[in-house]
Every structure is written in structure tokens, then in C-alpha cells.
Amino acid sequence: MSFHFLRPALLVVALAAGSVSAQPPAETPTTDAATYALSPVAMAFADDLAQRRGLDPQWVRQQIGSARRLPAVIRLSLPAPKAAYKNWAAYRARFVEPIRIRAGQRFWEAHREALERAEREYGVPASLIVGVIGVETLYGQHTGNFRVIDALTTLAFDFPASHPRAESRAEFFRSELEQFLSLTSRNGMDPLTVRGSYAGAMGWPQFMPSSWSRYAIDFDGDSKVDLFSSADDVIGSVANYFKSYGWQTGQPTHYPVSFDPQTLDKDGLLAPDILPTFGVESFMAKGALLDAEGRKHIGKLALIELQNGDPAQGGAAPTYVAGTDNFYVVTRYNWSSYYAMAVLELGRTIEALVKKP
């Protein structure tokens, strides 16, 4: 699973600079931690939540009061030390690798009809859907072992104060805890048995509770949404997520780019980060050279830089592409150009093998 605090209410691991994995290290959740039944703050929150959401106050108190404070979750929520250089080659190798590729082939072949239907109905390529599910959970093999109620309650009321955005992060997780209890009550799920990531992300696509409520859909027609065991629901929900964030059918995600040393203003090109800002003419006026397809692009572009380690320590030169609005949409799942490129390359590698004559 991946979790990133900047991603709009989905799952994601905060990607530390230089990290080659979108997932935290495997940990066994703490099981002997104190519960929140005696926390006045947590119980006051429970009463307020119940009143606002029209839930049984005793039920809400029981669920939050049964949650355990998990030191491992607190530790994992702290930012990793920032490295001077990231390494795209190492990051790519973590995800675009034989085990994940073979699993992706099997997933695509087993669920071809649902993938084709999602592409028709939402305009989102099957390769992107397959790439996301593969990077997130290796097609459902790694969905997290933390009780979601424990993870969300811990981060809602014991988010580490040393974090630079502790107050806003705690508020975010209180909101997600509220969404989780509303979701489980509405769908008849037992909140004490649902498991997910250390940040509370759930299922094959690792949706946070708010994203489950907003974007998860019943794609297999059984009148319920199941992101834990219905591949069709997972496929349809991921497609719906990207469509909701503005995916433009048929638009490429990126183009090759090179540079004219005489006119290059790389600092100016990189200043907006991954947000598409430049029209084709202004992009090229700053020394970025596009191929024939790129020059025909209608819309904004961003210069995407993917570092390949420290050149002074034997690292290679950075990799660059021109990212479109669709590339930016992919980063709404995880605010990282490295993540987006890994998802895209995994999906397209699998697609080439599945469609091979």
C-alpha cells in the first residue's frame, strides 16, 4: 500500500527523497497498546461524531474505545530523513520487475472484460488501472495488517507533535476516522476486523475511507462495494477515481524531451514542479525540445525531472519528460512523479506482453 499526506484523501506512503519503495517496511502491529476508552478527548470526539452523523453514541464510543494506540503507526508517520538525491532507476526496479509483471499479466488476463468495460465507460486505459493496482498492493497480495480502527484512531489523537504539519495531519485523520465509522455502519462492516495500511488505507487499491465513500463503485453488479475481494469493483473504482480527477481520454501522459543548451532555462522550467504550466511555445522557448507529437500537444506541460542518484557518487544524469495534464492526474493518486512513472511503465510493460501477437 502507499500513503501520502498530500494526496487528496486516498492512500499513499509519503515518499522520502531518495526512497526506492512506495511502501513502509513490513512491521507487525503492536498488540499490547493501551486503548482509547479512557481518553476524554477521544470519547468527546465519539459523542460529537455520533450526533453529527446520526449514529448510535454507544456504538461509536465502543468502536473508538476499543482502538489501540500503536507506537509503530506513530513511528511510521514521521517523515523519513531527506536524502540529497532520489534514484529513479532504483525506484523503477522496485516495481517494474518480473514478479509484479507476471502477476499483472495474470490479473489482466483474468479480468480482461472488466478492464475493457472500465476503459469504455470511463476512458481510463486498462494499463493505468493495472499499473496502479500492481504498485499499490501487488494485485491484492499486500493490503496491510493493521486494524484500520487502530491506525486511524492513533493518528487522530496521537499524531507525533514533532511532525512539521502535526495539527493538520491529526485533523485529516480525525476526518478519516469519522468517514471510516460512517462507512462501516452504512455497509454493515465490523470496524474492529477491517485491516489495512498503517495510515488506514484499505483494499486492493488502498483507498482511504473518504475516497472509498466518494469514488468506490459497485462494478460487478452485486449491489455492494467490495474493494477487498471483488476485482471488478476495484477496477471500476480506480477508473472512477481518475475520471473524477479530470482524466482526459486519449491524451498522452508525457512526451520525450531534450534540451537546447543555448536557450535552456531549466530552473524556470522546473519552478512549477509537476503542475502543468507551460504551453508548447513557451515550453520550447525556455529551451525544451519536443518531438513531432509533443509539438502538436494541446494543453499545458510540465518538465518532469527524475533524478538517478548523485552524479558525484557515480549516479547517472537525471531523466526528463514533458508531463501533460494526464500525468498530473496520475499524481493525484500519489503526489510523486516517481510513483506516476512507475505506475505507467509497469502498466505499459504488462500491456505489451498481454497484447503481444
Side-chain angles (χ1 to χ4, degrees):
M1 161 351 298
S2 338
F3 180 81
H4 192 294
F5 291 131
L6 294 178
R7 183 167 71 171
L10 199 80
L11 87 178
V12 252
V13 163
L15 291 173
S19 169
V20 299
S21 171
Q23 304 187 43
E27 292 216 17
T28 301
T30 304
T31 57
D32 58 352
T35 66
Y36 284 87
L38 299 179
S39 166
V41 174
M43 291 299 98
F45 175 84
D47 291 339
D48 179 62
L49 186 163
Q51 181 178 22
R52 286 184 293 100
R53 291 278 180 167
L55 299 174
D56 178 4
Q58 189 59 37
W59 180 82
V60 177
R61 275 179 160 259
Q62 181 180 5
Q63 307 315 309
I64 294 180
S66 298
R68 305 184 186 100
R69 181 182 183 276
L70 300 184
V73 164
I74 297 171
R75 183 170 63 254
L76 286 167
S77 67
L78 288 169
K82 188 173 182 179
Y85 290 89
K86 298 180 182 180
N87 192 323
W88 161 237
Y91 187 97
R92 183 187 188 280
R94 170 71 175 80
F95 296 106
V96 188
E97 48 81 29
I99 292 175
R100 216 169 291 256
I101 291 169
R102 287 194 297 270
Q105 285 181 267
R106 293 192 296 269
F107 181 85
W108 194 312
E109 290 162 358
H111 305 291
R112 186 184 299 270
E113 187 278 332
L115 288 165
E116 292 175 351
R117 182 159 56 95
E119 188 164 339
R120 286 196 307 272
E121 294 183 11
Y122 293 94
V124 176
S127 61
L128 175 56
I129 299 170
V130 171
V132 163
I133 302 169
V135 168
E136 291 294 339
T137 61
L138 218 175
Y139 307 100
Q141 293 185 44
H142 305 301
T143 58
N145 290 319
F146 292 89
R147 284 201 318 174
V148 171
I149 190 71
D150 296 335
L152 292 178
T153 306
T154 297
L155 293 173
F157 302 111
D158 281 301
F159 198 89
S162 60
H163 192 284
R165 295 183 302 279
E167 185 175 346
S168 63
R169 293 304 92 212
E171 180 60 32
F172 169 78
F173 285 107
R174 285 193 290 271
S175 175
E176 291 299 326
L177 176 59
E178 178 172 335
Q179 291 279 353
F180 175 68
L181 290 174
S182 299
L183 174 70
T184 53
S185 174
R186 187 168 61 247
N187 293 349
M189 303 162 66
D190 180 358
L192 303 184
T193 63
V194 179
R195 292 186 176 271
S197 77
Y198 79 93
M202 300 176 289
W204 291 29
Q206 290 290 274
F207 275 14
M208 293 297 287
S210 60
S211 287
W212 186 310
S213 296
R214 292 171 188 155
Y215 309 115
I217 62 171
D218 170 23
F219 204 56
D220 61 11
D222 67 353
S223 300
K224 63 180 181 180
V225 176
D226 181 2
L227 301 185
F228 290 98
S229 56
S230 171
D232 283 15
D233 287 359
V234 170
I235 289 166
S237 297
V238 171
N240 185 44
Y241 181 91
F242 283 122
K243 183 66 174 179
S244 298
Y245 271 95
W247 179 267
Q248 299 179 43
T249 303
Q251 181 186 83
T253 54
H254 57 284
Y255 301 102
V257 65
S258 57
F259 300 117
D260 176 2
Q262 301 301 317
T263 60
L264 180 59
D265 176 13
K266 189 179 290 184
D267 289 342
L269 287 166
L270 291 173
D273 198 14
I274 59 178
L275 179 67
T277 304
F278 305 99
V280 169
E281 288 188 7
S282 61
F283 193 70
M284 296 185 68
K286 289 184 176 295
L289 304 178
L290 297 166
D291 63 8
E293 287 300 311
R295 291 195 295 273
K296 292 187 292 184
H297 178 73
I298 299 174
K300 301 297 185 181
L301 295 169
L303 180 62
I304 307 299
E305 179 184 74
L306 304 168
Q307 297 172 352
N308 287 302
D310 182 356
Q313 301 295 324
T319 299
Y320 294 95
V321 298
T324 69
D325 287 313
N326 271 356
F327 187 92
Y328 187 74
V329 169
V330 179
T331 67
R332 300 311 84 201
Y333 214 95
N334 183 317
W335 204 319
S336 163
S337 54
Y338 295 78
Y339 173 90
M341 284 295 291
V343 160
L344 293 167
E345 294 206 5
L346 175 63
R348 290 171 183 175
T349 299
I350 295 167
E351 180 179 35
L353 293 170
V354 168
K355 295 185 177 180
K356 186 176 181 180

